[in-house]
Amino acid sequence: MTAFEPPIQRNVRASETFAGLWIASIGLFACMAVIAAAAPLFSPVSPWETRLVVAFSVTLSMAGIFFLIVCALLRRATDSAGVWIGALLLGVALRAIMIPAPPILEDDWRRYVWEGAVVAAGLSPYEIPPAAGLDPASIPPLPPTVAASGMNAFEDERLMRARATGAEHPDYPERVNNPYLTSIYPLTAQGAFMLAHWLKPFDLSAWRFILGAADLATFLLLIRTLAAYGRSRRLSLLYWLNPLVVFETYQAAHMDALLGPFILAALLFARQTKPGFAGLALAGAAGVKLWPILLVPMFARRFMRKPAMLLVFAGAFGLAATILLAPMLAQSGDPSSGLAAYAADWRTNAFMFPMIESALASFAADPSAAARRFAATAVALIAVAVSARPDDDSARLPVRALAVVTALFLLSPTGYPWYALWIFVLWPFAPFAGIGLFAATLPLYHLRFPIELTGGDPSPAIIALEFGAPLALLLIELFQGKAPWFRARHSTFAS
């Protein structure tokens, strides 16, 4: 729309955009409402033939498509109060319909709830696996590595307290996945788990309340941080209306939503030249998941020209990160360590990782371990490389962080759709259509569940569509120069 169009033509285009927004918004809401209504069909005790996995996966993908249409139309719409309020209300409605629905095909939340109870009981989730909360008479023979760690003795006073905790709600230690492995979540996450337990023990609604608070804090901080970087507040709607963000946070109840406030606070403090607070916020993020450590070089680059500021940032981050990570890292050598098992063995829905593994098969005795080292080294080098150029006013910082997180997601041996929350928090700062396409393709991950019953793996074509289509579109954008990674400002979706 230009200022030189005849008024009638401008009004017609505005009306078409407004009508399109209504239709796409209704489509987005309808898809999510159908998913919420169908959630009871996915009860763990229901027969698999009644769990409409394919229909659910396709519906969530359709929600992603409607979301992308909404984004495209918001770009054309005038920045009026009506459009803004309508978008806010749509985001609220999407969340409201998901809160009462039981989780679909996901049970990680049971571990969060269990570990919150363990911490509230004064125990360490890095020493006490969920299996310790079960009655010894009901426990099947222990795996040799677990038995070697002494968890079969059940004489330690801590184990007695764990069993007492498990006796309160036996279904939790019983249904926690990988019950013989200890926690992989650092202390910031453990604090959130414990807070949910204090609100209401062993209750999914209390945990969802914590996630909702983190989600709202992310949205409000995103508006503030976008403004600090000279960006339109409308870009925050790319997060607020994203159906994958809503589903993974409120429906599946994944803890990755806790990262948003810390990452955005670190970016905001860096922009405001507050190195101490930036270091503390980044350490808080690392206390949720370890990967934000990869962002340290680019934050350090922000303060490099002023040694005193760099020292403050490094000291604040180093001290806080040590406190938050030391208890978990200290137990990583234990045979039952969840962190060690995740680092060495986890592999699900990976995109580039199997290609790397195949390429190294002829040169390494253990291709999987070699591929993990290669992927970790590659992501670390990318983090250093994007930090090499000066960034005195931190204008490039969010986009550089997005580049590193996207590389991590594509190279990781685990490509869970809820990991995309890491990307979608940063996406508004550089809204490539290729990255947005993940909202429509990653729900296809759930097609692995009916296939898993036969002992097979997801079709390579499905994984290629999940990751390959967004990556191809992203590369086209980059090569055409439409969306440079390191430009401070970006026009796409901006008003």
Side-chain angles (χ1 to χ4, degrees), residues 52 56 62 85 97 110 121 125 139 149 152 169 173 222 236 259 263 266 295 321 335 350 375 396 422 438 477 488:
L52 307 177
F56 152 66
M62 289 177 59
I85 292 173
I97 60 175
R110 291 186 177 277
I139 297 177
S149 70
N152 59 333
H169 287 271
L222 184 56
S236 63
L259 277 164
I263 294 293
L295 305 183
R396 300 177 178 88
W422 314 345
F438 277 125
E477 291 179 292

Side-chain angles (χ1 to χ4, degrees), residues 2 46 124 260 367:
T2 70
S46 63
S124 170

Side-chain angles (χ1 to χ4, degrees), residues 99-130:
I99 292 175
I104 295 176
L105 300 175
E106 296 297 339
D107 60 2
D108 284 356
W109 62 273
R110 291 186 177 277
R111 177 174 280 274
Y112 311 152
V113 170
W114 167 254
E115 291 185 2
V118 168
V119 175
L123 300 170
S124 170
Y126 311 119
E127 299 176 355
I128 306 295

Side-chain angles (χ1 to χ4, degrees), residues 141-153 180 333-337:
L142 297 176
T145 55
V146 179
S149 70
M151 296 309 301
N152 59 333
Y180 295 112
D334 190 278
S336 63
S337 169

